[in-house]
Amino acid sequence: AYDGYDYPFQVKYQEKWDQIVSAFQECCDAYPNIRWSLEFKPTDENTRFFTVPSTGAAMLLVKEIDRPNMGLTLDMGHMLMAGENPGQSIAMVGDKLFGIQLNDGYTRLAAEDGMMFGSIHPSMALEAMYQLRQIDFKGHL
């Protein structure tokens, strides 16, 4: 699905947002036994700006979708790319965290480094593990 844009004025932001909300509501309602999860990403090689570029925006989306089977998958590299503190993001998401990808990176926007977990930001990796325990995370690693 194309959920981003490259230029100012390219998309109608609210319309794009509403399409994503509606699509996830439809999926969640059609398959209530499946846990649906969105993984945000600030940007990548396919599009400059994503409609859901941060943990905060992703949580707003989950709130608007308003379904018990909708949550998030967080990627350590994506949180770092977005300038976030992964431990804080994990704490914010809480029981809506359905999965997490443990990796690392140099934090340059649009750089998908995919480095070994804790190799660049060991203290953030440690805090991320601590926060996963704090929220009693039982999802996918």
Side-chain angles (χ1 to χ4, degrees), residues 22-136:
S22 177
F24 274 111
Q25 286 174 333
E26 186 177 327
C27 291
C28 289
D29 292 345
Y31 301 95
N33 294 329
I34 293 177
R35 288 172 32 129
W36 297 88
S37 182
L38 173 85
E39 177 185 334
F40 87 85
K41 189 173 183 182
T43 186
D44 76 2
E45 64 277 357
N46 296 320
T47 189
R48 180 67 178 124
F49 302 102
F50 267 34
T51 306
V52 187
S54 67
T55 300
M59 281 304 292
L60 178 61
L61 183 72
V62 168
K63 183 177 179 179
E64 288 192 28
I65 292 167
D66 193 28
R67 299 296 189 271
N69 58 331
M70 182 66 203
L72 297 178
T73 295
L74 294 178
D75 180 302
M76 289 287 291
H78 297 173
M79 289 183 281
L80 292 167
M81 283 170 55
E84 298 179 359
N85 173 350
Q88 180 183 12
S89 297
I90 291 166
M92 284 174 39
V93 173
D95 65 353
K96 284 296 186 176
L97 184 62
F98 289 1
I100 188 161
Q101 295 179 21
L102 301 176
N103 53 43
D104 209 334
Y106 290 104
T107 70
R108 197 177 81 240
L109 189 59
E112 187 76 35
D113 296 320
M115 307 295 284
M116 184 173 57
F117 181 61
S119 61
I120 310 299
H121 299 92
S123 61
M124 287 185 164
L126 180 62
E127 185 186 30
M129 298 309 291
Y130 173 78
Q131 291 300 332
L132 288 170
R133 292 198 60 153
Q134 290 298 108
I135 67 168
D136 196 29

